[in-house]
Amino acid sequence: MARTKEFDPDAALQSALELFWRRGYEATSMADLVQHLGIGRASIYATFGNKHDLYLKALDRYNENHDLTLLYELSQPGPALPVVRAVVRRFAAEASSEVQRGKGCFVTNTAVELGADDPAAAGRVGASWDHVETLLHSALVRARAQGELPPDRDPQALARMLLVLMQGLRVVGKASNDPGRVVDAAEQALKLLD
């Protein structure tokens, strides 16, 4: 007779996400995961696969949750440019906050730590960035159509610039003790939308 799981896989995945997000992939051992999740190594392997598989599942979970928030924010009816500005300012505020400073963004952390050396992780990072860029682009196209953005502005180029800025804010915010650096950079970039 098959044994039933004595733990909640969803809660365990969320717990793994939090540990990987705080410590990174390389600094998190299987022993750390066993201790943090409170479940045995065999149960982790049986449910999630190896450490790398678990990391990718955690990254997928992070992307699902954060992409939905961004989708909701940027697809609201009405004026689009104030929403784009609010999203960039939210990224800057999060990047410069005491709470987020040590963690950063899980996608950005993955890009910096694993980069192109891990094709599976890089694919997920790229997909997340493509999604964010598409959401920004759609909002900026709406802004231009509604007369909020000058007609000579390229929504695609602006979306790419904002994506790179927002990811850069996460990196600098994680490493800097000067929140003004992040906030000032965001405000200067937003002037390009005027």
Side-chain angles (χ1 to χ4, degrees):
M1 183 170 185
R3 291 182 54 187
T4 59
K5 291 193 186 317
E6 297 175 5
F7 66 94
D8 178 357
D10 191 59
L13 179 59
Q14 186 62 37
S15 187
L17 184 162
E18 291 163 7
L19 183 63
F20 281 130
W21 189 0
R22 188 174 65 249
R23 298 191 63 192
Y25 178 75
E26 292 297 333
T28 303
S29 68
M30 277 304 289
D32 295 330
L33 289 163
V34 166
Q35 181 180 10
H36 188 75
L37 275 58
I39 58 178
R41 185 182 297 255
S43 293
I44 292 173
Y45 283 119
T47 305
F48 302 109
N50 62 27
K51 176 179 126 174
H52 188 258
D53 295 334
L54 178 54
Y55 185 87
L56 295 176
K57 286 177 173 78
L59 185 57
D60 289 341
R61 162 72 63 86
Y62 179 89
N63 281 334
E64 289 166 11
N65 292 338
H66 286 80
D67 286 356
L68 284 176
T69 300
L70 205 54
L71 173 63
Y72 176 78
E73 289 173 317
L74 290 171
S75 63
Q76 294 298 308
L81 210 48
V83 176
V84 170
R85 285 189 173 99
V87 165
V88 172
R89 287 182 176 125
R90 178 177 60 81
F91 268 66
E94 289 173 359
S96 61
S97 78
E98 284 293 323
V99 174
Q100 284 294 107
R101 187 170 299 135
K103 287 173 47 175
C105 166
F106 193 28
V107 172
T108 307
N109 295 350
T110 299
V112 171
E113 181 181 10
L114 301 178
D117 294 335
D118 184 330
R124 284 164 169 82
V125 168
S128 175
W129 288 348
D130 288 346
H131 187 242
V132 172
E133 182 180 316
T134 298
L135 292 173
L136 288 166
H137 178 249
S138 295
L140 291 167
V141 166
R142 272 195 358 258
R144 191 169 69 179
Q146 295 170 171
E148 302 168 63
L149 190 65
D152 65 334
R153 300 294 163 74
D154 179 355
Q156 183 68 47
L158 285 171
R160 288 184 169 183
M161 183 274 301
L162 290 174
L163 169 69
V164 171
L165 169 79
M166 289 161 42
Q167 294 306 304
L169 295 175
R170 301 289 191 167
V171 172
V172 173
K174 184 174 179 177
S176 174
N177 289 325
D178 181 4
R181 180 176 284 151
V182 169
V183 172
D184 289 347
E187 290 304 320
Q188 286 302 307
L190 288 176
K191 289 181 179 184
L192 296 173
L193 301 179
D194 294 333

